[in-house]
Each structure stands twice: as C-alpha cells, then as structure tokens.
Amino acid sequence: MRVLVTGGSGLVGKAIQHVVEKEGRGKEEEWIFLSSKDANLMSMDETQKVFRKYQPSHVIHLAAMVGGLYKNMKFNLDFLRNNMYINENVLHAAHEVGVVKVVSCLSTCIFPDKTTYPIDEKMIHNGPPHESNFGYAYAKRMIDVQNRAYFQQHKRCYTAVIPTNVFGPHDNFSIEDGHVLPGLIHKAYIAKKEGEPLVVWGSGTPKRQFIYSLDLARLFLWVLREYPEVDPIILSVGEENEVSIKEAADAVVHALDFKGDVVYDTSKADGQLKKTASNAKLCSYRPDFYFTPFQQALKETCDWFVANYDTARK
Ligand code: NAP
Ligand code: GDP
C-alpha cells in the first residue's frame, strides 16, 4: 500500500504525518506527503507527472485553496476554479495510474444554507450553499458527484470525508485569510503583547463544531484502511459539543491567559449562523472513538503557536 497525500504540508496533512509517524504506520505501508512545491495540482501535466513518478495505490486528497469566511467572501471565483481544477486533475490522474482508493475532503460548510438540523450525509445537494462561500462549496460538492461517477463507470472506491471546522498545530494563523480559531489565537497573542483589546469579528452568536486535527487524522487513517463506502461520512464531534464563537473566543482567552478586554466588531459578517452536523454515521462505525476535549486541544494548539511563532504560517 503506497499512500500519496496531496496537501501533505497543510494543517490536516501535517497531522496525518504526525499520527502515521508517532502512532504507527500499518505493516507494508509507504507514505508520501506532497506540497505544492512537488507539483502544482492545478496543472494536469504536473499532476500526471507526480502520480506517474510515485505510482500510488491509495490517495488521501487534501490539497485545496482553503480559507476562512472573509477570504471566501472575497474570492469565490478563485475558490471555484482552483478547486475544480485540482480535484479534476487529482481524481483523473489517480484513475489513470490505477489508484484503488482515494479519500478526498469535503467540509460541512458546503451543505445547503436553508436546511433542517442536524445536517447529515444525504443532504449535500439539497439546495444552494451559503452565499459567502458558494465557490468553494460547489467545487467541493462536485467531488461527491465525481466519486459516484468513478464508481459507476469504473468501480473505483473513491470516497470523501466531511469534517467540521478543523484546528491544530501547523494551521494557517493568518488574521485576514485564516479560519476563526487560528485567527483569534494570533490576534489574542498580539493583543496580549501590545496590551490592546482582542477584537472578535461578528456578533459571536454563530455556532460551530470544532475537530482537533490529530483526531481528524486518526479518523482519516481509519477511513483509508477500513471505511467501505463510496458515499461520504461526516467526521465531527457530537451536536452537544457545538460552541458559539463567543465561547470559542473565551476558550482562546483562557488558553493564552489573556487578561485584556474582549470586544466584538459587529460591522463584520457572521457567515453561516450554524451548520450543526450529525455524527451518527461515524458513531455507528466507531462508537469507541475518543475525541480530545476541546479545551485541551486548544491549549495544545496555542502552546504550539507560541513555541513556533517565528515560523508558523501567518
Ligand atoms: P491548508 O493548511 O491550507 O493546506 C492546504 C494544502 O494544499 C497545502 O499542503 C498546500 O501546499 C496544498 N495546495 C494548495 N494549493 C495547491 C496546488 N495548487 N497544488 C498543490 N498543492 C496545493 O489546508 P487544510 O486546512 O489542511 O485543509 C485540508 C483539506 O481539508 C482541504 O481539502 C480543505 O478543504 C479541507 N477542510 C479544511 C477545514 C479547515 O477548517 N481547515 C475544514 C473542512 C475541510 P503548500 O503548503 O505547498 O501551499
Ligand atoms: P466558517 O466556519 O466557514 O464560517 O469560517 P471561519 O472559521 O472563518 O469562522 C467564521 C466565524 O467566526 C464567523 O461567525 C466570524 O464572524 C467568526 N469570527 C470571529 N472572529 C474571527 C476571526 O478573527 N477570523 C475569522 N475567520 N472568523 C472570525
């Protein structure tokens, strides 16, 4: 089993690498972690070359244009085009070299905006996504369509996981472009140093389910090795573990021991008010799975950011 990981240098890729190295690679598993330096996956030519070079039997496909709410709102066209190219190239090149299993990565933010809750795996295509990230959402939804077509026409087991908001070491801590937790961690770190207030964007009322990148990595390995379906599976903590942005900001304040004021800039958009996802399917396969408690995972992430401030992506 030779596993090629696209996007191997990012938040999720680094977590998978860590888990493979520290918690055991399977017998007769060989792992290759790619970054954009190995191949620009927007180019079909470069994608085919890297797949021919490594001849993988299995692929974890993470590479994507990724960003938080505010980056999505500015660049819907780029999110749509770049991710459609990357996904088309990776799945086609994988099929060409005979890859038997691909696990791609969707997201709970691609579900319909107007929906019933909790969201489950069957609802992906039931209506338009939230307008803030429709480019990313439609490109990601197409992976699910492609997977079904690869199975129907070629019997390929190309599947996808659907994580909620991910966080952990090696995240993109960019304040402007990143997701909420790395953004707040970076802002709180600076506010603490400068003796200024921490500014949380939006009202603080939207709710999110956060999954620690190392927990996600462990689940990714299980999906790669054992999950038998082409249909996707939501990888999430339970609905009861959903937190508001205000609760998340308070948790960052606590983890970084920030003593200053916390203010809310309500001129900034809130994005989706919630995207509460059901992890019932995951629980039916993995009733035993242990999720790292949120506060502990956040503390580990903050400690990593402080220790790696000079080199962290920001
Ligand atoms: P990330 O930290 O931003 O990493 C993105 C990865 O993609 C990097 O390894 C990057 O390579 C690579 N990449 C980007 N454009 C590329 C290109 N044109 N050619 C080759 N490689 C390219 O993202 P992440 O958070 O780990 O996300 C991984 C996957 O999880 C993505 O598919 C994302 O949509 C999905 N996801 C993420 C979240 C979240 O909250 N972060 C939530 C749900 C789903 P370089 O390092 O060389 O730039
Ligand atoms: P989303 O979950 O896909 O919407 O993406 P984000 O991870 O960017 O989370 C966006 C939510 O966090 C919105 O409700 C924002 O108003 C809120 N938020 C609060 N402060 C920040 C911040 O500093 N950065 C980001 N990206 N979002 C923030």
Side-chain angles (χ1 to χ4, degrees), residues 68-70 109 165 175 178-180 183-184 187 200-202 206 208 245 269-270 275:
L69 167 65
Y70 303 100
C109 66
N165 291 51
I175 291 174
H179 288 101
V180 56
L184 288 177
K187 287 197 282 192
V200 182
W201 291 341
R208 298 289 184 265
I245 298 299
D270 267 340
K275 35 189 177 174

Side-chain angles (χ1 to χ4, degrees), residues 67-72 107-109 132-133 136 165-166 174-185 187 198-208 210 245 249 264-265 268-273 275:
L69 167 65
Y70 303 100
K71 185 175 177 186
N72 271 275
S107 165
T108 48
C109 66
S132 60
N133 68 346
Y136 177 82
N165 291 51
V166 189
S174 158
I175 291 174
E176 286 302 319
D177 292 342
H179 288 101
V180 56
L181 284 180
L184 288 177
I185 291 169
K187 287 197 282 192
L198 166 63
V199 184
V200 182
W201 291 341
S203 66
T205 51
K207 291 184 171 170
R208 298 289 184 265
F210 293 101
I245 298 299
Y264 287 81
D265 179 353
K268 292 270 201 178
D270 267 340
Q272 278 172 284
L273 288 182
K275 35 189 177 174

Side-chain angles (χ1 to χ4, degrees), residues 7-13 34-37 39-42 62-66 86 105-107 136 140 163-166 170 179 313:
S9 52
L11 165 66
V12 182
L34 296 183
S35 79
S36 63
K37 293 193 188 79
N40 176 6
L41 300 174
M42 286 183 46
L62 306 172
M65 180 176 178
V66 179
I86 290 173
C105 200
L106 313 181
S107 165
Y136 177 82
K140 287 283 184 185
T164 49
N165 291 51
V166 189
H170 302 279
H179 288 101
R313 262 191 303 165

Side-chain angles (χ1 to χ4, degrees), residues 9 11 14 168-175 182 185-186 189 301-314:
S9 52
L11 165 66
K14 286 281 187 190
H170 302 279
D171 206 338
N172 177 6
F173 290 87
S174 158
I175 291 174
I185 291 169
H186 192 180
Y189 176 90
T301 305
C302 290
D303 289 349
W304 183 91
F305 179 66
V306 172
N308 294 278
Y309 184 76
D310 290 339
T311 50
R313 262 191 303 165
K314 53 189 184 312

Side-chain angles (χ1 to χ4, degrees), residues 3 22 32 34 42 55 57 61 68 85 105 136 148 175 197 217 235 259 262 266 298-299:
V3 190
K22 299 281 185 262
I32 299 135
L34 296 183
M42 286 183 46
Q55 296 287 330
S57 61
H61 172 39
Y85 277 122
C105 200
Y136 177 82
R148 276 188 274 148
I175 291 174
L235 302 182
K259 303 275 189 235
V262 179
T266 52
L298 191 61
K299 179 84 176 86

Side-chain angles (χ1 to χ4, degrees), residues 137-154:
Y138 278 117
K140 287 283 184 185
R141 284 182 186 192
M142 286 308 293
I143 292 181
D144 179 56
V145 177
Q146 287 165 298
N147 285 345
R148 276 188 274 148
Y150 274 105
F151 180 72
Q152 190 201 63
Q153 216 170 309
H154 299 294

